[in-house]
């Protein structure tokens, strides 16, 4: 039955979200990053199951309907929690990067005089490029 496949895919996605949320809440970024591919695979499988159920016009009734509604509510909660935790992790990473970049900049030095008594040119900060992937 198509609805059973959809519920199974939803359970797999819920488990992937729960595991990633647990890692993010503990600020275990390496573990969270390692779980990203499982979450993507589960998300793709769930999207495919949803598309198939829609295409075939599968309707849930009785216990299957209740299971589908509970799964939808669970996925909504886990998804909202995942978004908030990811936003927090990104904000923390941005602060870390800013701190590292600030430490890498040369300290301001009072203007002085160089060769032949001429004032030294002001030093400019070196270019820094930072790339992140969430």
């Amino acid at each position: 039955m198509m609805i059973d496949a959809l519920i199974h895919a939803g359970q797999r996605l819920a488990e992937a979200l729960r595991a990633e949320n647990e890692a993010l809440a503990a600020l275990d970024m390496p573990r969270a990053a390692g779980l990203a591919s499982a979450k993507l695979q589960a998300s793709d499988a769930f999207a495919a199951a949803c598309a198939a159920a829609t295409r075939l016009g599968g309707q849930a009734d009785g216990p299957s309907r209740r299971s589908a509604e509970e799964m939808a509510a669970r996925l909504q909660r886990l998804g909202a929690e995942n978004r908030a935790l990811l936003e927090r992790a990104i904000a923390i990473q941005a602060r870390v990067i800013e701190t590292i970049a600030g430490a890498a900049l040369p300290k301001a030095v009072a203007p002085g005089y160089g060769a032949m008594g001429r004032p030294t040119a002001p030093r400019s900060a070196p270019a820094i490029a930072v790339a992140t992937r969430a």
Side-chain angles (χ1 to χ4, degrees):
M1 185 177 230
M2 187 53 59
I3 197 68
D4 292 334
L6 179 61
I7 291 171
H8 177 72
Q11 289 170 338
R12 184 174 159 211
L13 177 57
E15 178 54 31
L17 285 168
R18 187 207 55 75
E20 186 178 69
N21 288 353
E22 184 180 283
L24 289 168
L27 296 176
D28 187 346
M29 300 309 173
R31 190 170 112 224
L35 295 167
S37 65
K39 182 177 79 169
L40 276 173
Q41 290 172 355
S43 180
D44 289 346
F46 183 72
C50 284
T54 301
R55 193 172 47 255
L56 297 174
Q59 291 287 326
D61 56 354
S64 294
R65 182 177 183 90
R66 190 168 34 259
S67 293
E69 288 170 349
E70 289 170 0
M71 180 57 58
R74 182 174 180 212
L75 287 173
Q76 190 170 23
R77 281 191 313 274
L78 287 166
E81 180 183 5
N82 189 256
R83 180 183 181 100
L85 288 167
L86 284 169
E87 287 172 351
R88 182 182 89 163
I90 290 168
I92 290 169
Q93 278 190 321
R95 285 193 299 255
V96 168
I97 291 168
E98 288 171 6
T99 300
I100 292 169
L105 294 175
K107 301 289 182 218
V109 178
Y113 293 92
M116 302 212 259
R118 293 189 187 127
T120 57
R123 293 181 62 183
S124 61
I128 295 177
V130 178
T132 61
R133 182 175 175 180

